[in-house]
Amino acid sequence: MPGGTSRQASFWKPYPLTIDRGSGARFHDIDGHSYLDLINNYTAMVHGHAYPAIVAATQQQIAKGTAWAAANEPQSRLAALIVDRIPSVEQVRFTNSGSEAGALAFTIARIITGRTKLLMARYGYHGSPLEFEVGFFGNEGPITHLATYNDLAEFEAVLDEHGHDIAAVFLEPVMGASGIIQGDPDFLHGVRAAAHKAGALFVLDEVLTLRFSSGGCQADIGIEPDLTMLGKIIGGGFPVGAVAGSADTLRIFDPADMKVFHTGTFNGNPVTMVAGEVSLRELTPDRIERMEHLCKSLQSGLIAAANRHGLPFSTNRYGSCLNIYFSQSAPEFSVLRDDDLLMDRFHLACINHGLFIAQRGLIALSTVITEKDIAEALERADMAMCDVVAETGE
Ligand SMILES: Cc1ncc(COP(=O)(O)O)c(C=O)c1O
């Protein structure tokens, strides 16, 4: 594997870290070190590692077979659960990743509108397909238009000029990869209206944000997208994605009146589906609230620690996710940060002290983390900051 990895976001400088096993809020590497996990696979492992109810459900399913070229009951149950929870959703189409869900949502929009382009936020993240990737790096591409997140006038201007070519507008309700940036509800409603005025579909990417609310951010904001992208927590720790929407929009897949051929060897496989069912059922409003409460404690504890050490520090938090920066104020978007040196040093020091956060400063809690774990995380972060100060002073 180039660089020893198959995934850019799990490559840790100075070399890949190899994990052997995980349980609850912790995992262990092959050298025997243990880590308190504050990333939870970039938000996906919302119940931590080897969550007993998911282990039991998947073991039972694996013994019955793992995939076949026909329907299975777990996929109907998970689809029904999603329909039940998310207000705009009547039907679901499963994929194996959020990236695939994004590509599929764009395919649906292209077929429905007969257009070929998309509009997304500059530095927004909707997965790895090329049309989205250029936007994440701030570039327009052959089929990708960009506008500034939370700037309704800019989105309206692009739609006024290019709307006739734009099949869909993609937005995250809270930008994840760009640093946990909350979308203003008026902005999201405004972009939806402008997309519809231009005859484009409005796609809300809830791959990450479904962990914030049972019905997704759309339920909290009261916004109805044409399509919703899902992933991460709906797979209970297994590869997954989904495009969800109204029965009318998803009719193009109906074999009785098919407009697009979409298939995938492992789409809706029963192992992922039973894991996802447990994951969603056990993500109750109480647990969502508790994760948020603990994330707030962690946030204030980290701010206090940085102050004690005289380090510049700022945070963006939404619900159970936090992005930290070693600068006086958070940059508008993470890619524009100028604290790489301090952040890299802190990240490495955290690993040395058994605390696992993302190199870009993302923290995402799980339902199994306790107040005691948060206190331990703060002690470890304090030691890591000590190291940063010592190293920086040299
Ligand atoms: C908002 C958002 N959309 C799409 C994706 C892509 O999902 P996957 O990594 O499963 O392809 C991600 C992954 O981090 C995401 O955060």
Side-chain angles (χ1 to χ4, degrees), residues 96-371:
N96 293 301
S97 69
S99 298
E100 271 182 63
L104 190 61
F106 184 43
T107 302
I108 296 169
R110 281 194 343 235
I111 286 166
I112 289 178
T113 62
R115 301 170 178 178
T116 54
K117 298 198 174 184
L118 67 88
L119 168 60
M120 61 180 273
R122 185 174 295 105
Y123 314 124
Y125 188 63
H126 304 290
S128 268
L130 198 58
E131 52 268 31
F132 298 125
E133 201 142 78
V134 287
F136 182 55
F137 291 108
N139 301 318
E140 305 227 309
I143 57 172
T144 309
H145 290 286
L146 299 178
T148 305
Y149 196 68
N150 275 336
D151 186 337
L152 176 57
E154 216 181 289
F155 271 81
E156 285 173 337
V158 176
L159 284 162
D160 274 348
E161 195 181 341
H162 303 286
H164 54 281
D165 281 335
I166 293 175
V169 183
F170 285 76
L171 278 180
E172 298 161 85
V174 176
M175 284 177 116
S178 232
I180 311 298
I181 296 157
Q182 188 179 355
D184 179 340
D186 288 343
F187 161 73
L188 296 167
H189 279 289
V191 172
R192 175 184 179 274
H196 286 172
K197 188 170 154 230
L201 267 60
F202 179 67
V203 182
L204 201 62
D205 182 344
E206 297 243 37
V207 167
L208 186 153
T209 54
L210 193 61
R211 66 160 29 234
F212 295 138
S213 174
S214 296
C217 283
Q218 59 189 271
D220 294 347
I221 297 167
I223 193 166
E224 196 177 321
D226 300 300
L227 291 170
T228 300
M229 284 166 58
L230 298 170
K232 297 197 189 275
I233 67 163
I234 67 159
F238 289 80
V240 80
V243 179
S246 69
D248 200 36
T249 315
L250 295 190
R251 180 168 302 145
I252 59 170
F253 296 122
D254 187 336
D257 183 26
M258 191 176 74
K259 302 280 188 303
V260 60
F261 183 80
H262 167 249
T263 192
T265 305
F266 291 102
N267 290 1
N269 75 78
V271 183
T272 300
M273 298 292 107
V274 293
E277 193 187 350
V278 175
S279 174
L280 276 197
R281 272 197 208 293
E282 305 219 354
L283 186 61
T284 57
D286 281 358
R287 292 178 123 189
I288 291 173
E289 210 181 300
R290 187 174 159 279
M291 280 194 290
E292 171 162 15
H293 168 73
L294 291 177
C295 197
K296 279 184 187 163
S297 306
L298 183 63
Q299 180 183 27
S300 48
L302 288 172
I303 292 171
N307 282 341
R308 277 198 306 277
H309 290 286
L311 287 165
F313 194 73
S314 51
T315 59
N316 282 339
R317 187 191 58 76
Y318 189 89
S320 53
C321 289
L322 185 65
N323 212 109
I324 63 169
Y325 303 92
F326 284 88
S327 47
Q328 291 303 350
S329 56
E332 201 179 353
F333 304 103
S334 273
V335 287
L336 306 178
R337 69 189 310 157
D338 58 5
D339 63 339
D340 290 331
L341 185 68
L342 283 179
M343 188 64 233
D344 283 358
R345 284 181 177 173
F346 180 66
H347 177 258
L348 190 55
C350 281
I351 288 186
N352 287 334
H353 288 289
L355 191 62
F356 208 70
I357 66 169
Q359 204 145 8
R360 66 170 193 247
L362 175 73
I363 288 172
L365 300 189
S366 70
T367 59
V368 296
I369 198 159
T370 62
E371 284 190 24

Side-chain angles (χ1 to χ4, degrees), residues 26-88:
R26 276 154 220 274
F27 51 52
H28 307 268
D29 69 19
I30 53 171
D31 298 319
H33 303 121
S34 90
Y35 302 86
L36 184 54
D37 184 10
L38 296 187
I39 315 179
N40 291 292
N41 199 17
Y42 288 91
T43 77
M45 313 297 292
V46 74
H47 301 297
H49 301 283
Y51 185 64
I54 292 180
V55 172
T58 50
Q59 279 179 341
Q60 239 178 17
Q61 182 56 52
I62 287 168
K64 288 163 66 180
T66 59
W68 44 79
N72 62 65
E73 287 183 306
Q75 62 180 213
S76 307
R77 291 202 301 268
L78 181 58
L81 203 55
I82 292 169
V83 168
D84 223 36
R85 284 166 86 108
I86 307 180
S88 68

Side-chain angles (χ1 to χ4, degrees), residues 7-24:
R7 181 183 180 198
Q8 186 56 43
S10 64
F11 176 80
W12 307 113
K13 285 186 238 172
Y15 43 75
L17 187 66
T18 304
I19 302 301
D20 177 43
R21 64 190 192 284
S23 169

